Amino acid sequence: MNNIEIIHNPFTVDTQFRINGQSPAASCKLSSYSQSRLQQWVEGLFNELSELFNGDDNFHIVFQGVESDFLDVQEAANEAIANGIQVELVWIESEPTDQRLKKISNLIDEAHEHPKFKRFVEENDEARQSLAEAFNRDFDVYVVGTMSSGKSTLINAMLGRDLLPSANEASTATIARITDNDQMPDHFKAKRYNRSSQLVGEEDNADQGLLKDWNGMDDTQLIDIEGNIVAIQERPDVRLVLTDTPGPNNSQDEEHQLTTMGFVQDSNRNPLILYVLNASQLGTNDDRNLLGLVAESMRKVGKQSKDRFIFVVNKMDVFDPESGEHPSQVLARVKQYLIDNDILNPLIYPASANLTRLIRKPQDQHTRKERGDFRSMADLFSEEPSMNLLQYMPITEKVKHSLQQKNLSSLMLSSGLPAVETMIDEYIDKYNVPHRLKRAYDALTQAIDVGLNEAEMIQQLDQSERQLEQLNEEIQTLQQRQEKGFDTVAYKDELEREGRALPQQTVEKLVELQGSFIPLLQELKKEFSNNKAQPHIAKEKLQEAEKTLKFEHKKLINEYEILFITNQEAIRNDLYKEYQRYIADLFEDVENLNLPILEGIKQATSNISFNLSLEQKEVKKDRREISISKWYNPFSWGKTESYDSGDFVDLNKAWAERATRVNGAFNNLIENASEHIEESNNLLIDQFSAFMTREFSHKFDELLKDLRNKTSDHEARERAIIAAKEQHAWLIDFRNRLDKTLAISTEGGK
């Protein structure tokens, strides 16, 4: 039997493998996983092991890590066993993530009380932002689906009251965001924002009627709601934010549709998506377009790209097994429908949101119709064993245990929705909290390194007078060099000569996107290749084509927005390398001197906060104000003609008349996007030049001036050295406690 030990730390993203007691060779593929999140490689683990041992498929696996990661290894092991591989799996339990988050929060409180450490965090933009993100409690769940799917009913069921309008004509035409607050058990506050993001309405005790009115107002951009989401227990470290999104077939606001699609396409933050399907009405074109987008997102690398989509098959209460409509048959049909839309191995959760809603809604508030519906559903779900929807769900033992602890009625469990709600908690534990812990750990580690370098640099001032004189001479030389300034013109000329105006990966992605819509146009051209069609058929085909093209246009807009962000990051990385090269040149001729403190000065210079960003703000350049938010035009190919009932329509001609305008719309989008990205590139370079000529120069002068003062004032130097020693000792102890907090081994955990 082959013995495999795996120690995975999701907080520091570190994995150690031992194969029959030995570390794998550097050339072994397992070694390449050492700094990758488990969900990126676990699905192929047993295939890799099988190849490594030339088909000797008999493994004893000892996994040490957190429970959510172990469950993924267990899932992969079960699949391997089903394929004939022999696996024994042992788990060495590690401390839960929520306990670690509390410990690291306490460490951060301690750090902020330290007189100097607080400065190391606050003066470093990246560290400050990382800590803010790590301790932002809000966790986003987006509810997506067509108007007929019952999204609003599902959300009302989770709220425990009828708050969102659920009638089709009043279904979500805007974005409604609900933030959980258990301190508001009996009312919901609501705010309405217009298209300029201005607050234009506010109500401390919102009801369904008010939200229906707000939802119907043309200028409503967002309805922000706060109150108790009874289905989810608010935790000290996590607060659920539930967003009801406009359906893809809602034509009232294209910007809202674009936003909904953006949630699905967001593979950077990976928000959890509840995709609600109508069990009794599958196969709409609106669903197919959006499911195609989901399929693309799920094909991204890593298990999280699949786990973040939960398919809720709603309205299971409309089926009656006595009439031959067995739930297993319905779900098999749903699964095949998703497979047909390129979604493989989907997580499918059948539910009756209406039953859950009526159970949670006080019975004395039921309408006459609701009383009848509730009796009918209660009889069906209580008397028919096949209607216990929990039995069809792919839930883990952890979720089963969590459901048992909630002491829910059998009828409530049978409705299916409580299992979905518990899956939200599991996703948070599995992905959100470890990610936040890693951000906090990285930020604190960065601040610690800056503090240790400063302390060590000051301690090295404990030199002879001759050495201090020599140091002062070198400091003066450094200052004279820096005073020459950063040659902005020469740097920009170099960029032009080397062709680095855009990073290579950006150029390649631009080329890829430029041709991405062509297959769709070719497919539509084939659909219009028939010579003649009756007027009503021609009109339907043209309307459907227009809807598909609008969807593709919006999808491409979001792809360019994603590229815009990744390009900014690539440019920032390139500029940071240029920054480090400049510092290396600045210190080039003094590095050979036997003065260790100069290395400390160089490192302190490198630690000067470097933060460039165009995100979510207006940027002014040469008295021009450039908006980075709206660079595109909506898709339009003109009006669809009305045909007389007696005419036949030439489909080839109808398409040809529009093909030129369609190509023009997409080419215009591509041109605008390229200009948008190139302009952001130039603005970042301008920011970099401004940083080097102003902010960097000022901070560098301050650093050298402080050192000169310490070298010339004996008493001040002695005080600084004593304080530096104390600071150094505190930081070493703090780092050790930080590392222990996030350690996976049993010594560092329980």
Side-chain angles (χ1 to χ4, degrees), residues 10 62 69 85 101 122 165 173 215 265 270 272 328 410 480 538 549 628 639 665 671 694:
V62 177
D69 288 335
I85 297 176
L101 194 61
E122 292 183 346
N215 191 54
Q265 291 172 276
N270 286 312
L272 184 60
S328 60
S410 59
Q480 289 171 351
L549 287 165
I628 67 161
K639 294 182 179 179
E671 184 179 343
R694 292 196 293 270

Side-chain angles (χ1 to χ4, degrees), residues 264-304:
V264 173
Q265 291 172 276
D266 188 353
S267 57
N268 180 34
R269 293 188 311 120
N270 286 312
L272 184 60
I273 305 289
L274 296 186
Y275 196 110
V276 187
L277 291 158
N278 183 345
S280 63
Q281 189 182 342
L282 296 172
T284 67
N285 286 328
D286 302 301
D287 253 337
R288 278 199 291 269
N289 284 333
L290 195 54
L291 285 173
L293 199 63
V294 169
E296 285 184 27
S297 299
M298 291 179 70
R299 285 195 291 269
K300 301 285 175 66
V301 175
K303 194 171 184 297
Q304 186 176 8

Side-chain angles (χ1 to χ4, degrees), residues 566-670:
T566 56
N567 176 68
Q568 278 194 76
E569 190 60 37
I571 292 291
R572 277 196 296 268
N573 290 339
D574 282 352
L575 292 174
Y576 184 73
K577 290 175 185 175
E578 184 66 30
Y579 176 48
Q580 295 302 319
R581 280 195 294 271
Y582 174 77
I583 292 169
D585 291 343
L586 195 62
F587 283 80
E588 184 177 7
D589 295 333
V590 297
E591 287 182 342
N592 294 327
L593 293 173
N594 188 24
L595 290 174
I597 190 174
L598 286 172
E599 183 60 35
I601 297 172
K602 180 180 177 182
Q603 186 58 50
T605 305
S606 298
N607 288 335
I608 291 174
S609 183
F610 178 88
N611 183 49
L612 310 175
S613 177
L614 306 181
E615 198 170 7
Q616 301 301 323
K617 62 183 178 184
E618 303 289 322
V619 181
K620 291 186 178 180
K621 178 188 175 187
D622 302 331
R623 298 185 179 181
R624 292 183 296 117
E625 191 170 270
I626 300 167
S627 172
I628 67 161
S629 58
K630 187 66 180 291
W631 51 268
Y632 51 86
N633 298 316
F635 175 85
S636 175
W637 73 354
K639 294 182 179 179
T640 300
E641 290 88 341
S642 297
Y643 300 102
D644 294 334
S645 59
D647 294 336
F648 275 88
V649 178
D650 185 332
L651 292 178
N652 275 315
K653 182 180 177 183
W655 172 253
E657 289 172 349
R658 289 162 178 79
T660 302
R661 292 199 292 271
V662 170
N663 275 296
F666 279 95
N667 288 330
N668 181 257
L669 176 66
I670 292 167

Side-chain angles (χ1 to χ4, degrees), residues 282-417:
L282 296 172
T284 67
N285 286 328
D286 302 301
D287 253 337
R288 278 199 291 269
N289 284 333
L290 195 54
L291 285 173
L293 199 63
V294 169
E296 285 184 27
S297 299
M298 291 179 70
R299 285 195 291 269
K300 301 285 175 66
V301 175
K303 194 171 184 297
Q304 186 176 8
S305 63
K306 304 176 186 66
D307 285 353
R308 77 182 187 95
F309 291 98
I310 293 178
F311 296 94
V312 183
V313 184
N314 195 20
K315 302 192 178 182
M316 291 296 292
D317 49 90
V318 304
F319 301 103
D320 186 349
E322 289 185 353
S323 302
E325 297 172 309
H326 196 278
S328 60
Q329 295 172 319
V330 175
L331 295 174
R333 191 163 65 243
V334 171
K335 183 175 182 180
Q336 187 58 52
Y337 171 66
L338 293 175
I339 291 172
D340 291 342
N341 282 277
D342 297 325
I343 296 174
L344 306 180
N345 302 314
L347 298 172
I348 298 175
Y349 295 84
S352 169
N354 197 30
L355 175 57
T356 310
R357 178 184 73 88
L358 292 176
I359 293 173
R360 287 177 174 156
K361 184 177 181 179
Q363 291 195 19
D364 60 356
Q365 296 179 20
H366 285 189
T367 65
R368 181 183 302 155
K369 183 178 185 307
E370 286 176 339
R371 288 197 297 270
D373 290 343
F374 180 61
R375 283 195 299 269
S376 176
M377 284 189 290
D379 289 344
L380 175 63
F381 280 75
S382 299
E383 297 175 2
E384 178 53 61
S386 65
M387 293 303 293
N388 179 2
L389 301 181
L390 197 60
Q391 64 187 297
Y392 307 107
M393 296 187 175
I395 58 176
T396 63
E397 291 299 320
K398 182 181 178 183
V399 170
K400 290 178 184 176
H401 180 66
S402 297
L403 285 170
Q404 289 171 356
Q405 289 185 317
K406 292 181 179 181
N407 295 318
L408 301 173
S409 69
S410 59
L411 183 61
M412 177 67 88
L413 289 171
S414 295
S415 73
L417 192 55

Side-chain angles (χ1 to χ4, degrees), residues 8 10-11 38-39 63-75 89 91-100 396-402 405 425-426 429-431 434 744 750:
H8 179 71
F11 317 116
L38 178 139
Q39 283 72 28
F63 178 81
Q64 189 167 353
V66 299
E67 183 179 13
S68 57
D69 288 335
F70 167 71
L71 292 172
D72 281 343
V73 176
Q74 187 178 57
E75 183 181 337
L89 183 60
W91 174 37
I92 299 177
E93 189 174 356
S94 183
E95 186 176 28
T97 53
D98 55 348
Q99 294 181 24
R100 295 172 187 270
T396 63
E397 291 299 320
K398 182 181 178 183
V399 170
K400 290 178 184 176
H401 180 66
S402 297
Q405 289 185 317
D425 269 326
E426 183 173 64
D429 289 337
K430 186 174 180 177
Y431 293 111
I744 280 296
K750 288 193 170 183

